Amino acid sequence: MDSLIAASARALAAGDALNALKRISLRDDPPALALRGIAMAQLGELPRSRELLRRAARAFGRHEELSRARCVVAEAEVALAMRDLGGAPRTLSAAVASLEAHADHANALHAHLVGARRHLLLGQLDKAADALQALDGRALPHPLRAIAELVSAELALRSLHTADARAALARAQAAAERAGVPALVAEIAEARGSLDRPAARRVDSTGETPLRLDEVEALFDAGTLVLDACRHGLRAGTRWVPLARRPILFSLARALADAWPGDVPRDALIEHAFRTRRPDETHRARLRVEIGRLRKLVAPMARIDATSRGFALTPLSGRPLAVLVPPIDGEQASLQALLADGAAWSTSALALALDTSQRTVQRALAELEAAGRVRAIGRARAQRWLAPPLAGFTTILLLPSSLPLA
Amino acid sequence: MPILTPQADSPPDTLKVAARPAQIAREYGPFDGCSAVHGVTHDGDHVWAAVGEKLIAIDPDSGQVARTLDHSGDAGTAFDGKHLYQIAESRIDKIDPANGRVLLSIPAPGKGSDSGMAWADGSLWVGQYRERKIHQVDPETGRVLRTIESNRFVTGVTWVEGELWHGTWEGDESELRRIDPHSGDVKERLRMPPGTGISGLESDRADLFYCGGGGSGKLRAVKRPRA
């Protein structure tokens, strides 16, 4: 390492990206390119940063595998911040192997976390959980600990384990404060705040009640049969019958749940599910078939009985029934509620789930995307939609502080 | 945007001299609040190390930090018997070790791509890291008197009993090399264990070399081979 590289790395480690740049801005040797790339990332110039890090990785010599691996990790983190998830994860895993082989544990841990966050953004929750598990029991530096806890909170929230999420966020906050990164502290505070805002409304004969996430969770835990119009399905305790991709069954279930404990006339069900005001015998036959399907699906949690007028839904073992709807009305709320499961949805699947046209869904998605509330991955037919992570992962951690070179 | 010339790997070693393993006699540090050692020199009593924010003087017997000067040091350090010379950014500062005052500043020959530095025979000898060169520099003006080419990254230079030694460090591989000061031919090689880099080099004018350990923040004493 030479003198200006050392001086520049020193400035960068102290958070002074401009002074770091000043010393090496005209140099194109690989260590200088790498430091310029990191400084640019800290200044928010992500495309430029990425280009510099790529050039640095290419330019390091055969002997400098470790330096090259560090550049690969830094570039992967920049790509993550740019939400460009197309890169080959194999490159990242090769870099991790290289870092481990050279006993650069701090950067290897950092790389693992970049991988976990990438899975999270891609809606690969299992893989994200696996990656996180690989870090269990390892001593992480404070900023990395904070990020790991954020990822873990996100995973807990996706599966509606609000107590676990709260605990993880509290640990994240403690780690962020010890790390002394104000932007990270702010981000975690924002994530904690979202736990206290209404996440859904409970609708019953008495009216509507806003519920926080933990109240939703409590409703599920109490064993109440919940018609969930957010994620489109029926839940009783840990049992979950997803109906998002079966809109007719969902709309029948919704109509029955709204009428509980009463019944719903056949014609009303036909009008609701098949959108026709002039039912004939074929509609009645179809209704019997669909009710038969629904009855089979919900058998473990509820009965559907024929009455003299129509049908009635009755939870098993005398459980109460509740209807849960998104916190606000409209297509956008429903879309966001569906995407809240963290999975990658196609436009057609969303249209199907909401029983509306793809055109309507596309319009709503475009508005949400412009507001930064959904993200698209892929193009054309392969395009999928995802909710942004609850924790935004801003670019604050684009400081592989352990990175700067030998 | 200038097109980047890919950094060539070092030419293959066609050296006739076989490398012997370096014998590490002792390890010091890492020292409190110091993340890296960039330069090393010896004033007869203490080993001085440039550790970024400051210069520290280490008692080689106890391993304790005896003194600290608030002077940034990003690369080589040298001692002429009276003054310390320290590379900081792209200049060389001549420092009074008694009070830390900077008496003179000259431009560093590599304009900031400088690494190791030694004092001998009235000249400063400054390594230029990735350019694989050693410059002989006039300590009063900074003028380059002569340049020796190496085939490895130069990370530390020292003279001992008329022998010119320099450290090399590329990736995992690091060596101490004695070279012919006129031709640059490699005469002797001591190989450091894999992953042990050398940043900064100085002899104690007796049996030991002191080697900075780069980002490990360590200082290592290596036995000097005697013919």
Side-chain angles (χ1 to χ4, degrees):
Chain A
M1 188 153 41
D2 66 47
S3 51
L4 275 184
I5 292 289
S8 174
R10 188 149 55 84
L12 202 54
D16 190 348
L18 283 175
N19 258 318
L21 269 180
K22 198 173 78 187
R23 294 180 166 87
I24 48 165
S25 58
L26 295 175
R27 282 177 53 170
D28 275 343
D29 53 296
L33 287 172
L35 284 173
R36 282 167 60 192
I38 296 167
M40 283 296 180
Q42 290 189 10
L43 294 172
E45 298 287 332
L46 299 185
R48 180 82 182 115
S49 155
R50 197 170 182 196
E51 183 195 330
L52 288 164
L53 288 167
R54 273 190 186 158
R55 285 171 60 197
R58 272 202 304 271
F60 273 116
R62 200 163 27 84
H63 292 296
E64 299 167 284
E65 199 192 325
L66 181 59
S67 300
R68 187 197 312 276
R70 288 169 176 168
C71 287
V72 169
V73 174
E75 192 203 320
E77 191 175 22
V78 172
L80 200 66
M82 290 169 76
R83 299 294 186 253
D84 179 348
L85 306 172
R90 223 181 306 154
T91 323
L92 185 60
S93 34
V96 173
S98 179
L99 292 167
E100 300 273 13
H102 288 84
D104 183 355
H105 300 301
N107 281 313
L109 292 171
H110 191 88
H112 274 298
L113 274 178
V114 169
R117 286 157 63 192
R118 190 171 178 280
H119 288 311
L120 203 56
L121 282 169
L122 284 168
Q124 302 163 335
L125 304 189
D126 296 353
K127 288 186 182 171
D130 286 350
L132 211 52
Q133 208 134 48
L135 298 182
D136 253 7
R138 295 173 75 167
L140 297 175
H142 297 308
L144 296 189
R145 167 65 59 200
I147 289 290
E149 295 293 359
L150 261 178
V151 173
S152 144
E154 167 102 27
L155 285 169
L157 280 178
R158 295 285 196 206
S159 40
L160 213 62
H161 293 138
T162 47
D164 292 352
R166 257 182 216 288
L169 284 173
R171 290 192 298 269
Q173 182 156 354
E177 276 163 8
R178 246 171 273 150
V181 184
L184 187 53
V185 175
E187 180 164 357
I188 292 162
E190 167 62 26
R192 293 184 89 170
S194 72
L195 284 175
D196 296 324
R197 288 196 281 274
R201 288 170 296 162
R202 179 183 179 163
V203 187
D204 56 28
S205 53
T206 63
E208 291 183 2
T209 324
L211 297 183
R212 294 188 314 263
L213 267 182
D214 54 346
E215 293 169 326
V216 173
E217 187 186 5
L219 190 64
F220 291 148
D221 287 350
T224 309
L225 178 64
V226 181
L227 184 284
D228 185 344
C230 298
R231 295 186 182 200
H232 290 221
L234 278 153
R235 188 187 294 274
T238 54
R239 266 182 208 283
W240 168 242
V241 177
L243 295 175
R245 285 162 167 87
R246 308 190 69 170
I248 301 230
L249 297 190
F250 180 76
S251 72
L252 288 174
R254 173 79 197 262
L256 292 169
D258 280 340
W260 181 82
D263 61 354
V264 189
R266 283 182 183 80
D267 289 355
L269 285 173
I270 287 168
E271 186 183 334
H272 194 73
F274 307 143
R275 307 246 170 94
T276 175
R277 284 173 182 281
R278 293 199 202 113
D280 58 23
E281 271 316 305
T282 60
H283 290 119
R284 295 204 177 86
R286 202 169 144 211
L287 177 64
R288 274 196 299 281
V289 172
E290 300 290 358
I291 288 285
R293 287 181 178 146
L294 184 61
R295 182 180 280 140
K296 208 165 153 189
L297 283 173
V298 304
M301 49 178 76
R303 281 196 332 263
I304 299 178
D305 301 312
T307 63
S308 53
R309 304 194 297 161
F311 295 94
L313 179 72
T314 315
L316 296 186
S317 6
R319 290 173 170 182
L321 186 147
V323 174
L324 210 57
V325 299
I328 45 170
D329 284 318
E331 293 288 350
Q332 295 193 347
S334 314
L335 278 174
Q336 282 191 280
L338 283 172
L339 294 169
D341 68 358
W345 290 72
S346 66
T347 310
S348 55
L350 288 168
L352 189 65
L354 296 175
D355 194 16
T356 181
S357 73
Q358 289 205 35
R359 190 74 202 92
T360 309
V361 169
Q362 267 157 0
R363 223 178 354 249
L365 284 170
E367 282 167 28
L368 285 172
E369 192 183 24
R373 304 181 70 176
V374 298
R375 323 175 261 117
I377 50 173
R379 291 270 174 273
R381 286 172 67 87
Q383 190 167 51
R384 294 290 180 274
W385 296 93
L386 284 156
L390 300 161
F393 292 130
T394 49
T395 55
I396 37 177
L397 274 140
L398 290 169
L399 188 149
S401 52
S402 36
L403 187 100
L405 316 162
Chain B
M1 172 62 48
I3 294 168
L4 178 75
T5 324
Q7 183 77 37
D9 277 318
S10 310
D13 256 324
T14 50
L15 302 174
K16 298 196 178 70
V17 190
R20 289 178 292 159
Q23 294 189 1
I24 296 176
R26 190 168 167 186
E27 279 194 350
Y28 302 91
F31 304 96
D32 267 353
C34 310
S35 58
V37 175
H38 298 301
V40 180
T41 195
H42 193 279
D43 68 5
D45 298 320
H46 293 112
V47 183
W48 286 87
V51 292
E53 309 271 293
K54 54 196 175 181
L55 301 176
I56 56 174
I58 300 146
D59 175 0
D61 295 325
S62 68
Q64 297 298 308
V65 175
R67 285 189 59 202
T68 299
L69 292 183
D70 281 329
H71 187 282
S72 52
D74 301 312
T77 315
F79 185 70
D80 67 0
K82 202 170 167 198
H83 305 104
L84 287 169
Y85 291 84
Q86 178 59 52
I87 301 177
E89 303 191 10
S90 53
R91 58 175 203 276
I92 301 172
D93 291 331
K94 180 179 181 179
I95 302 163
D96 182 344
N99 52 25
R101 243 160 23 104
V102 176
L103 306 173
L104 178 73
S105 283
I106 56 173
K111 300 185 176 62
S113 64
D114 312 88
S115 47
M117 182 163 62
W119 169 272
D121 298 333
S123 295
L124 288 169
W125 302 74
V126 182
Q128 207 180 339
Y129 179 47
R130 296 183 79 90
E131 283 72 13
R132 308 180 175 107
K133 289 175 182 163
I134 299 171
H135 303 287
Q136 183 184 0
V137 174
D138 179 334
E140 292 304 315
T141 64
R143 194 163 66 88
V144 175
L145 305 174
R146 160 164 102 85
T147 297
I148 305 168
E149 304 263 349
S150 170
N151 72 345
R152 282 291 179 273
F153 291 172
V154 175
T155 62
V157 186
T158 192
W159 280 90
V160 52
E161 294 175 359
E163 297 176 348
L164 176 60
W165 288 79
H166 76 84
T168 73
W169 185 3
E170 292 192 30
D172 274 350
E173 295 165 21
S174 197
E175 289 184 5
L176 279 161
R177 289 184 168 187
R178 179 162 69 82
I179 61 172
D180 183 317
H182 302 288
S183 65
D185 289 349
V186 178
K187 296 293 184 189
E188 200 168 356
R189 302 164 63 194
L190 303 178
R191 176 174 292 149
M192 294 295 275
T196 312
I198 297 178
S199 62
L201 176 66
E202 185 65 286
S203 81
D204 68 348
R205 317 276 155 208
D207 300 324
L208 293 174
F209 288 117
Y210 287 101
C211 305
S216 71
K218 289 187 180 177
L219 178 73
R220 298 185 178 91
V222 172
K223 283 189 181 148
R224 180 157 78 95
R226 306 304 279 264

